[in-house]
Amino acid sequence: MTECTSLQFVSPFAFEAMQKVDVVRLASLSDPELRLLLPCLVRMALCAPADQSQSWAQDKKLILRLLSGVEAVNSIVALLSVDFHALEQDASKEQQLRHKLGGGTGESILVSQLQHGLTLEFEHSDSPRRLRLVLSELLAIMNKVSDSSGEFFIKSSELFESPVYLEEAADVLCILQAELPSLLPIVDVAEALLHVRNGAWFLCLLVANVPDSFNEVCRGLIKNGERQDEESLGGRRRTDALCFLCKMNPSQALKVRGMVVEECHLPGLGVALTLDHTKNEVSEDGVTDLVCFVSGLLLGTNAKVRTWFGTFIRNGQQVRDKYLYKLRVRIFWQLVKEEETL
């Protein structure tokens, strides 16, 4: 997803701080890093907690102090003040209308007739209407995904492409998913984001603001992926998005690789995660995780896995798959180093 390369992603340090609700570490983040995590932090500060302990009360005070003076907090507070029950009812009615009329209708219950493009409408709208604009657009993409019969597409959307409003659109997206989880299951939202530009960036922000969802989202994206991913646009975008997620949470990268092997989907992702994990690896006995991973797949007892990965290698040799090429280069140089030590 080359369109995301200029955007700031959530760092591993910031993600771990969110996972552990480590307020001291959160307080050490730069303003741009903290900005990406505001939807979750503002909800933490405002919503009644399940944890009634004294330690959490102290942490909450520190979070409130951390948020004080941050200009963007006010707009997120306004988003959280909306009647989400009424919003969910209107969204359900819109879903029923789209289903009844075949999904291609321009009618909308969530938003009245637009006078301008989505970006201008978003700019001039108050918080309730901003929520409705993003929700209507997101539901339309989710519906198109469910009706596409597996055929991949890219949906052009001003809301997810305008560089001026990316952070504000991400705020709305995170609040919508947090407040309407039944209407917007996080795995379904993640799947929809693959179909828009800057989707990997939005996906990482969404997961960073719901850090406990990391494994669930990765598992869902892998399950919905293709058995062989090296040629299709959808496969490449899915692999890239999962790589971004694992860079944000590197401690879980090998677990995600295990999901790849378990599902026998996205072999390029398994190789990419292994290459990243072993790039600085030094092995005393000469047997690296890279060699163990590849030999385990090709020589293991699981015939399904052997066939799956063998097909990836055969196909990759024909089209010069970038991950397979990097794998061969890495193994070659490892053999050279081993010969030099003999």
Side-chain angles (χ1 to χ4, degrees):
M1 294 188 178
T2 54
E3 70 266 14
C4 298
T5 52
S6 62
L7 299 174
Q8 176 165 347
F9 280 75
V10 176
S11 68
F13 181 88
F15 185 81
E16 186 176 356
M18 285 296 289
Q19 269 189 318
K20 297 179 178 179
V21 197
D22 188 332
V23 181
V24 175
R25 294 179 73 176
L26 288 170
S28 71
L29 298 178
S30 66
D31 289 345
E33 286 181 304
L34 191 65
R35 176 66 185 86
L36 304 177
L37 307 172
L38 288 182
C40 181
L41 293 175
V42 173
R43 287 187 78 248
M44 278 186 196
L46 295 183
C47 297
D51 185 352
Q52 299 292 335
S53 66
Q54 186 63 31
S55 62
W56 171 243
Q58 291 300 317
D59 284 346
K60 188 172 179 179
K61 287 180 183 178
L62 290 172
I63 291 174
L64 286 168
R65 191 180 307 161
L66 185 62
L67 297 176
S68 63
V70 180
E71 186 178 350
V73 167
N74 294 329
S75 63
I76 298 174
V77 171
L79 291 173
L80 287 166
S81 304
V82 170
D83 184 348
F84 284 97
H85 178 66
L87 182 62
E88 186 167 20
Q89 286 183 323
D90 286 348
S92 297
K93 291 176 184 176
E94 178 154 320
Q95 291 283 70
Q96 292 170 6
L97 177 65
R98 283 178 171 166
H99 181 72
K100 183 178 179 181
L101 300 178
T105 176
E107 298 181 44
S108 175
I109 294 172
L110 283 169
V111 290
S112 56
Q113 193 67 33
L114 300 179
Q115 300 298 319
H116 310 285
L118 273 175
T119 303
L120 278 176
E121 288 285 345
F122 188 83
E123 178 184 356
H124 295 133
S125 294
D126 57 10
S127 296
R129 185 164 173 79
R130 283 189 169 194
L131 285 162
R132 288 173 175 269
L133 285 168
V134 174
L135 181 56
S136 180
E137 185 77 351
L138 184 58
L139 289 175
I141 297 169
M142 290 170 66
N143 287 337
K144 189 171 180 181
V145 170
S146 63
D147 295 339
S148 65
S149 301
E151 184 176 344
F152 191 80
F153 63 90
I154 294 291
K155 171 74 165 61
S156 179
S157 172
E158 291 182 47
L159 283 178
F160 296 102
E161 295 173 16
S162 173
V164 179
Y165 297 108
L166 283 182
E167 288 183 344
E168 292 174 66
D171 291 340
V172 176
L173 174 69
C174 292
I175 295 299
L176 280 170
Q177 198 287 317
E179 296 294 332
L180 303 174
S182 298
L183 180 69
L184 301 173
I186 195 164
V187 173
D188 293 349
V189 174
E191 193 69 29
L193 290 174
L194 295 179
H195 298 264
V196 298
R197 304 198 184 280
N198 303 311
W201 182 80
F202 278 100
L203 176 56
C204 286
L205 260 65
L206 177 64
V207 173
N209 281 276
V210 195
D212 290 345
S213 70
F214 180 86
N215 286 332
E216 178 189 2
V217 168
C218 289
R219 172 77 69 178
L221 291 177
I222 292 168
K223 269 192 172 184
N224 292 330
E226 301 174 14
R227 283 183 60 80
Q228 301 295 332
D229 56 357
E230 65 278 354
E231 290 190 58
S232 71
L233 173 62
R236 290 197 300 271
R237 289 182 69 84
R238 189 179 299 273
T239 296
D240 289 346
L242 282 157
C243 283
F244 277 120
L245 285 171
C246 289
K247 285 178 182 177
M248 182 176 73
N249 188 14
S251 66
Q252 293 297 301
L254 293 186
K255 184 172 183 178
V256 173
R257 186 183 72 175
M259 296 177 192
V260 166
V261 176
E262 185 181 335
E263 300 292 338
C264 286
H265 285 180
L266 306 178
L269 173 62
V271 172
L273 294 178
T274 303
L275 290 171
D276 190 60
H277 174 68
T278 60
K279 61 185 176 185
N280 298 317
E281 183 180 36
V282 177
S283 176
E284 294 182 1
D285 60 3
V287 181
T288 67
D289 182 71
L290 178 64
V291 173
C292 291
F293 174 69
V294 175
S295 61
L297 296 182
L298 293 175
L299 305 176
T301 58
N302 190 318
K304 179 183 176 184
V305 171
R306 287 202 310 270
T307 302
W308 163 70
F309 198 69
T311 302
F312 165 71
I313 290 178
R314 286 194 298 273
N315 293 346
Q317 288 174 331
Q318 295 172 5
V319 299
R320 193 172 177 175
D321 176 80
K322 67 175 182 178
Y323 297 119
L324 182 59
Y325 176 74
K326 290 178 181 178
L327 174 67
R328 294 173 67 180
V329 169
R330 182 76 64 80
I331 290 176
F332 171 77
W333 283 111
Q334 187 172 317
L335 289 171
V336 170
K337 288 180 181 178
E338 291 300 319
E339 286 187 0
E340 289 175 350
T341 59
L342 294 177

